Amino acid sequence: MYVPGRLRELIRTIRTARTQAEEREMIQKECAAIRSSFREEDNTYRCRNVAKLLYMHMLGYPAHFGQLECLKLIASQKFTDKRIGYLGAMLLLDERQDVHLLMTNCIKNDLNHSTQYVQGLALCTLGCMGSSEMCRDLAGEVEKLLKTSNSYLRKKAALCAVHVIRKVPELMEMFLPATKNLLNEKNHGVLHTSVVLLTEMCERSPDMLAHFRKLVPQLVRILKNLIMSGYSPEHDVSGISDPFLQVRILRLLRILGRNDDDSSEAMNDILAQVATNTETSKNVGNAILYETVLTIMDIKSESGLRVLAINILGRFLLNNDKNIRYVALTSLLKTVQTDHNAVQRHRSTIVDCLKDLDVSIKRRAMELSFALVNGNNVRGMMKELLYFLDSCEPEFKADCASGIFLAAEKYAPSKRWHIDTIMRVLTTAGSYVRDDAVPNLIQLITNSVEMHAYTVQRLYKAILGDYSQQPLVQVASWCIGEYGDLLVSGQCEEEEPIQVTEDEVLDILESILISNMSASVTRGYALTAIMKLSTRFTCTVNRIKKVVSIYGSSIDVELQQRAVEYNALFKKYDHMRPALLERMPVMEKVTTNGPTEIVQTNGETEPAVLETKPPPSGLQPAGGSMLNLQKSLCLDVMEMTSVMLRMVSRFCKSPDHYFFSAGIPSITAYNKNGLKIDFTFERSNTNPSVTVITIQASNSTELDMTDFVFQAAVPKTFQLQLLSPSSSVIPAFNSGTITQVIKVLNPQKVSDSENS
Amino acid sequence: TVRVSWPCGGCSGRLRQQTWKIHFILLFSRQGKLRLQKWYTTLPDKEKKKIVREIVQIILARHQKTSSFVDWKDLKLVYKRYASLYFCCAIEDQDNELLTLEVVHRYVELLDRYFGNVCELDIIFNFEKAYFILDEFIIGGEVQDTSKRSAVKAIEDSDMLQEVRLRKTKGKHLIFLHLPCLTGA
């Protein structure tokens, strides 16, 4: 009889394979043997075979044919079988396979087994991978075990309960009674898992949170005992007693103390004690301090305690251990808004962290630095951040550049400094600057009227040597186009004006146009700049005309269109040219506001506004306030328009369809909140491609609807004509209607999709 | 890549529903060979393989002088090398990284206590024991016992349970083997 080889032998054999192919061959052979062994329903060696299968699975080979075998092992009475069976289930099965449900009954039996280690296996498996269905079926068993006096099982049941709650939150209530005495336990395992369970319940339910607040004194006591107690070899880590439990208690206290003055007060002393007495020479002490700081910052702690916390973070920053520094920066980032001044004190240390080797530390230091920039320190901080921009990894450059622009805009001490800073960013990290920065910068430059000459000069010098950085070149081209006259006339006040001729300027712009490195957008900027210079330069207008006419046959469609239009400007509309190309005025910052809703239909956007006047005070219309009515009307316009278009397209699509003779039946396109709009359709007598839609709007509310305006949009292939409405007021109580005629033309009679 | 949240919203790190569990644990060699994988979330096999490949690559590429923490998607990887094995834990963004280092260290201590001067070969040849020990230490991504002794004791007791049952079935064979000796042959 073939006796399957042992697991260790298989492992040894596979490790002797010298190539991937050799390994694969061995594995395939073994898998085949295992498969036939499974087919023979061999009970004796099933365990060994599954164990081997699990090893091969870890190497990356498929093992799904062992899933059912795991279930058979779990059902076996042998402990060895169960051990491997449950392990296999956890490795090979999950809730996505229906087969996993077959485990439920076995687990249920094992949860009630006489041997605690079997019960332990079942609890562990349920707690690691139990699906929602399994959890629902077995929650009762778990709850029972949560009340057992066997601490080995109790701690596992607690974590199992946590998993059940995570999978099926509604079942949380049933575990409430069992939590009554959990914290009275002496066993650390049970204590720890109980705190985890309580934490989970409090995080998920405000009611539970309120209910468990009364535990604060007990938690404080337990924590105190841990700190004050003598050396306990079982739970000691570098002189600290059970740091895992300490941290979890601190976390639960955090959740309980949040937004609650009394609880926060009750834990004040213990927090101060932990913060001052914890040994900081090893990582474990710092782990506790870290959690303490997080708790202090999150609850309603008194200011003394908060300062203590920030100082701990400050000390962390100076620690040699990188992990500690990392953690400090993360926490400071969280508190910088609320405790800004306290964090400012550590600014220089934070800035030093910009030079750290670790990428995560650098990123946090950068974010924190930006958060700390204010009117007082902006010059110094920007210097450091610009230096950082120069030397940092590419992954940071875009964010850093954006950050510098934002900070400069907020805190620039002078316009000159602002322009210089922008220049520095553009020249240092010009290719990493985000696309949206370019229009912002252009606006900024336009609005700094007295700096125009200086700016254009600096930009010109910057691109003379190198015009590969697109955002820089775009901004520079635009400026040269606008202020080229200042450039050639040498009007700069801020620095030594340079001598440059009109031809030299055109040289550089033409180089940009020709260069392979220039993006299409950049070329567009350059061409427009050249065109603008035709009104600012005096001697080179002919050259400009020539350049423009050349690009009239460019393969780039965008450039071609521009060139053709500019050509036309030269030829037919030369009298308009100076006015069209004159200096840009100071731009308003664009803000979005107003009640306008944009209705999008097939790529066309038309604002569709239904305005209603607010009711006179004291009068409340039935069915909600006017403001809600307005909002809901706006949102429903989209719905209505799409309905209308669908009807129209169907009509236009099939002139020979029976609809043609019967006509489209009228529809109620909209009927909500008292406003009803009906559509009636007919074909135009003069032109069969035109559909005439008559809309009738009526109002059943108690108030007149005034300033009623109906607008609509159609797909690009259609044409729309809105005739004047009969009125702009829909009287209340259905006592009258507004009528409006809309004509829709479908010129090609092409069928549009039903969804238009 | 990390999302840049600037300016910081001033939150104290609180999300609406915070879980602090470990998402998965990976053990792998310096050549990138997987020695143990424990997942506490449900993912398709293909996805798991992809994640393992990605993370192994990231961590093996890390410079020695960097911190033990890597931002990865919306999680944090906490890793530490012990001799020839990397231990990697994926935790939630808001979790306590320093404590997770202690969790990793505790697991190594448990392995050491069970195997006696544990080395990578122990874990290769006895991978199922490594899983059993882990399952006595962590359930559902949460630590279940903080005592160094009891987790190992539970495994040793379980091993005994296996032995006893095994000896019971092997007993017949032992008697059979004795017989030839009795005849003096």
Side-chain angles (χ1 to χ4, degrees), chain A residues 8 83 95 117 152 155-156 166 234 242 248 258 283 291 298 322-323 334 358 363 370 399, chain B residues 4 6 11-12 14 42 65 67-68 96 102 125 128 136 142 144-147 157 159 162:
Chain A
R8 323 277 173 227
R83 240 182 162 189
E95 56 198 1
Y117 294 113
Y152 176 77
K155 68 182 192 220
K156 289 181 196 276
R166 283 180 182 157
E234 240 191 287
D242 206 339
R248 289 315 299 241
R258 220 179 249 155
N283 179 66
E291 196 72 34
D298 215 2
K322 279 188 192 293
N323 296 334
K334 289 181 197 156
D358 185 317
R363 176 167 286 283
F370 280 124
D399 292 330
Chain B
V4 177
W6 187 84
C11 62
S12 46
R14 202 224 164 171
T42 310
K65 299 219 185 245
S67 68
S68 304
N96 186 328
E102 293 300 318
F125 280 94
E128 83 277 14
E136 276 300 322
E142 305 276 3
Q144 72 182 272
D145 207 322
T146 56
S147 153
D157 285 354
D159 288 346
Q162 254 182 251

Side-chain angles (χ1 to χ4, degrees), chain B residues 3 12 18 29 34 39 47 56 62 67 73 81 83 140 146 154:
Chain B
R3 279 174 298 133
S12 46
Q18 184 64 67
S29 72
L34 195 62
W39 299 82
E47 186 68 33
V56 166
R62 290 275 284 183
S67 68
K73 301 209 177 154
R81 187 167 70 81
T146 56

Side-chain angles (χ1 to χ4, degrees), chain B residues 10 32 45 51 54 85 114 120 125 148 173:
Chain B
D45 239 3
I51 291 174
E54 202 180 310
L85 266 183
Y114 179 78
E120 190 184 345
F125 280 94
K148 285 185 253 196
H173 300 287

Side-chain angles (χ1 to χ4, degrees), chain A residues 148-167:
Chain A
T148 176
S149 52
N150 180 338
S151 48
Y152 176 77
L153 293 176
R154 211 170 180 202
K155 68 182 192 220
K156 289 181 196 276
L159 288 185
C160 208
V162 170
H163 179 82
V164 168
I165 293 174
R166 283 180 182 157
K167 279 292 187 187

